[in-house]
Amino acid sequence: MIIRMVVHFKCWQCAAWATAFLAWFLCLPGDCAQMNENEAAGIAIASVRQTLGGDDSMFISHRRDVALERELSRCISESPIPSPFIFRTSPEGEEVNGSTITTHLSVEGPLAFIIAVDGSGAIFKIHGTIDSKREIENLARHYRINLTSAEAAISFVRFYITVNPENSIPPILGSAAEVRKIAKAKIYASLGDKTGESLFEKWLQHHISDISELDFNPQISETQRGGFIATFYSLSDINTAHSQKGPVVLRVSLNISSKGMVRGLKFHPLWR
């Protein structure tokens, strides 16, 4: 359920959606001109409205994620299809209409979608829906991904982990300093500032030497079947039954085929 702090809303996206749909419907294979960013955004917004069961007046915030597009482009450089536009969209956010600011909130928790739209209007809902894992696989097939080097594989891993289609992949840790920062936040959130401060100092003293020796660069190794295994480090949540132990650094591994199919997410705690 979406709460609208101000009910009145005039939808400017409708014209962009209609234009984009007409261009897609009329074009012939090989002859269709690439749509522009506004047209692609209109298609992404319309797809989210459809997913949420809303009409053309439903507010959807959006922004283009150029960094994510760039990461994907490194994996599909040999594809005959130009790289897609990628948008982060949500029914939450602030809508500015003249001097009026409308705040849109969801009572169902944060709702966020990542939508890829190619030049012909093909849509891939790669984050935010129950089919997002299948959608990102469809995207890989659409662009005929063929990972032939460790460099291409690591770019695809970064893309896949950032998209995180099923919200099942924990964030990659990039440094020992980041481990300390995130661990402190988790401990304070679980135990409060006073108790958390004491536990964090004990936790850090106990594990700092192990953490300082870790190589935080994601590693890629090739399998005998021509695929890859990616490994990186993340941090667990705190086990409420054993909160005094604090979080655990996890060694995470992903199996990736040369075609961009990701299987076998595994977690290996560095200590118990």
Side-chain angles (χ1 to χ4, degrees):
M1 181 184 298
I2 305 299
I3 298 175
R4 295 187 182 184
M5 306 300 289
V6 177
V7 176
H8 179 69
F9 173 65
K10 184 177 180 181
C11 176
W12 64 267
Q13 292 97 333
C14 303
W17 158 240
T19 302
F21 179 81
L22 182 61
W24 169 81
F25 183 79
L26 295 178
C27 70
L28 295 174
D31 297 325
C32 182
Q34 295 297 304
M35 66 179 58
N36 61 39
E37 179 179 341
N38 288 337
E39 292 169 334
I43 289 180
I45 290 166
S47 74
V48 174
R49 286 189 179 128
Q50 182 184 40
T51 297
L52 296 175
D55 58 22
D56 289 346
S57 66
M58 183 180 193
F59 170 80
I60 301 293
S61 65
H62 75 283
R63 68 176 179 84
R64 184 179 172 188
D65 193 327
V66 177
L68 200 52
E69 292 175 4
R70 189 179 300 117
E71 204 71 73
L72 178 61
S73 70
R74 296 190 181 103
C75 313
I76 61 175
S77 58
E78 297 180 2
S79 173
I81 307 170
S83 300
F85 291 103
I86 298 179
F87 300 96
R88 292 182 179 270
T89 62
S90 175
E92 300 181 280
E94 290 188 347
E95 173 196 354
V96 180
N97 188 1
S99 60
T100 302
I101 298 178
T102 304
T103 301
H104 300 265
L105 303 171
S106 170
V107 298
E108 299 168 352
L111 292 175
F113 301 85
I114 301 178
I115 312 295
V117 182
D118 85 346
S120 68
I123 305 168
F124 303 91
K125 302 174 185 179
I126 56 180
H127 179 89
T129 73
I130 59 173
D131 294 325
S132 286
K133 181 174 174 60
R134 185 175 62 186
E135 288 283 294
I136 202 169
E137 291 179 351
N138 289 340
L139 179 72
R141 294 188 187 97
H142 182 73
Y143 282 94
R144 303 173 190 174
I145 282 182
N146 184 25
L147 305 175
T148 58
S149 68
E151 290 76 13
I154 196 64
S155 289
F156 185 77
V157 167
R158 290 195 181 102
F159 171 78
Y160 193 93
I161 290 174
T162 302
V163 172
N164 204 355
E166 295 181 320
N167 286 317
S168 58
I169 305 174
I172 295 177
L173 295 171
S175 66
E178 192 172 1
V179 177
R180 294 194 294 270
K181 179 181 178 181
I182 296 175
K184 184 177 181 179
K186 286 179 178 286
I187 291 172
Y188 276 49
S190 176
L191 301 176
D193 290 354
K194 186 174 181 180
T195 305
E197 182 179 8
S198 175
L199 176 60
F200 174 69
E201 292 301 326
K202 292 178 181 178
W203 182 91
L204 187 60
Q205 290 177 11
H206 189 64
H207 298 298
I208 190 168
S209 60
D210 295 329
I211 294 170
S212 62
E213 294 175 359
L214 297 177
D215 180 359
F216 289 96
N217 293 313
Q219 304 296 315
I220 289 286
S221 58
E222 193 167 354
T223 67
Q224 293 181 346
R225 296 183 178 182
F228 300 88
I229 297 177
T231 58
F232 56 93
Y233 292 106
S234 188
L235 198 64
S236 75
D237 290 328
I238 296 176
N239 187 331
T240 54
H242 304 283
S243 59
Q244 293 302 314
K245 291 185 177 181
V248 176
V249 173
L250 304 171
R251 187 172 184 266
V252 186
S253 63
L254 284 172
N255 288 324
I256 311 121
S257 76
S258 60
K259 303 302 180 183
M261 302 295 113
V262 176
R263 301 288 187 271
L265 175 64
K266 296 181 180 179
F267 303 92
H268 306 278
L270 296 193
W271 57 76
R272 298 289 180 180

